[in-house]
Amino acid sequence: MSATGKPLRLGDLAEKLGVSTATVSLALRDSPLIAEGTRKRVKAYAEEVGYIYNRSAASLRTSQSNMIGVAVHDILNPYFAEVFRGLEETLAEQNKTILICNHRDIVDRQKHFMDTLLQHRVDGLILCASVGTTDQDINSIVRRGIPVTLVCRDVAGAEASCVRGDDFLGSYRITKHLIDQGHERIAMVGGRRGSSAGRDRNRGWRTALEDAGIKADEQVDVPELMTLDDGRTIAKQLVETDPRPTAVVCFNDLVALGVMSAVRRLGVEPGPELAIVGYDNTDGTESRTPALTTVDNGAGTIGVKAAELMLAQLNGKMPSNELVLIEPKLCVRESAPPPGQRLTPVGGLCVSPE
């Protein structure tokens, strides 16, 4: 706000800094046409006087851009394609468009994206939070009057609703399925344990083992793996472990498919010689050889519910800090038979255990 009580304009900043209005505009957009020193000086002054904040708040008070910012950690994961579909179809019914960013679990990159989206006057943010995101990161946006909905991962203490799958329950159920099949040496590979999904899926695996009298700390447990390449990389360690696991719980389908292809190259047949399960039930897993046993995490439903929560906030029906948990379903297929056996194809049926 200027000394006269009127909203600050680009020209006000330009006059104070002794540069042109165009220079201020380009600097605030991080244009490479502006020298780094000038860029830093302009942005520092804008932050000092609250220019970006006031512009975002004014946009939310007076009009809507009909754009919703969406930030996730891996747009290449087909799981998020299903989330995006649910988001896009539901928001499109209200003439909203989504802008997608990929922060790659780098919290500074996420902050840059969120700042950029706010500068482009998005009406709200739907966020799969990066590892390292704090409640203050979220709450500082919410308290500026900008709706935020979290998806797939929650952030403790955040003043925002969250829609995600019940990762603990899904991991528990698929691990118990392997135990019921007769497996006792069950590895877990993958998951960023700094995220709620990574922690909960690991905790579900551990709890199912302990409930069956199997010591989780004596099993192979490798964190952080998230991609196809990660799955391929860990395969040699799994095959060479003595005694070798008879089953592997993978954090997601990408890791599972990577493990599956790599152990086959190492002379181990997925299924009969090493049971492999994934998580997320991404498109195409039922057509692999063997078809992948996995957990349907309700990606499309998560997208729809998150969009509905966002629209409710935009329409002034502010929900409380609601946590919406989607019940996971087991998709029992061919990749996880009893030790040394094969399973007959069952058509990829996904069920909720009693």
Side-chain angles (χ1 to χ4, degrees), residues 49-63:
V49 298
Y51 178 76
I52 295 176
Y53 168 82
N54 287 337
R55 183 175 65 181
S56 297
S59 171
L60 288 167
R61 284 195 303 268
T62 60
S63 64

Side-chain angles (χ1 to χ4, degrees), residues 214-261:
I214 301 170
K215 294 182 179 179
D217 287 340
E218 295 181 359
Q219 312 301 312
V220 175
D221 182 14
V222 184
E224 299 306 307
L225 310 182
M226 299 290 285
T227 67
L228 276 168
D229 282 344
D230 290 338
R232 296 186 189 108
T233 300
I234 199 62
K236 191 170 187 290
Q237 178 182 334
L238 292 171
V239 169
E240 293 181 352
T241 297
D242 186 18
R244 180 196 298 172
T246 63
V248 184
V249 174
C250 298
F251 173 76
N252 61 23
D253 290 344
L254 290 179
V255 173
L257 295 175
V259 170
M260 188 183 293
S261 65

Side-chain angles (χ1 to χ4, degrees), residues 86-130:
L87 283 172
E88 191 169 38
E89 290 180 353
T90 305
L91 292 171
E93 293 174 1
Q94 301 298 321
N95 298 315
K96 305 294 184 184
T97 300
I98 62 173
L99 303 178
I100 299 171
C101 299
N102 188 40
H103 57 63
R104 301 202 305 251
D105 262 332
I106 302 171
V107 72
D108 287 342
R109 184 179 172 91
Q110 173 182 274
K111 183 180 185 305
H112 171 73
F113 280 142
M114 289 195 296
D115 287 346
T116 301
L117 288 167
L118 294 177
Q119 290 173 36
H120 283 79
R121 302 187 301 177
V122 294
D123 295 335
L125 291 173
I126 295 174
L127 177 67
C128 178
S130 168

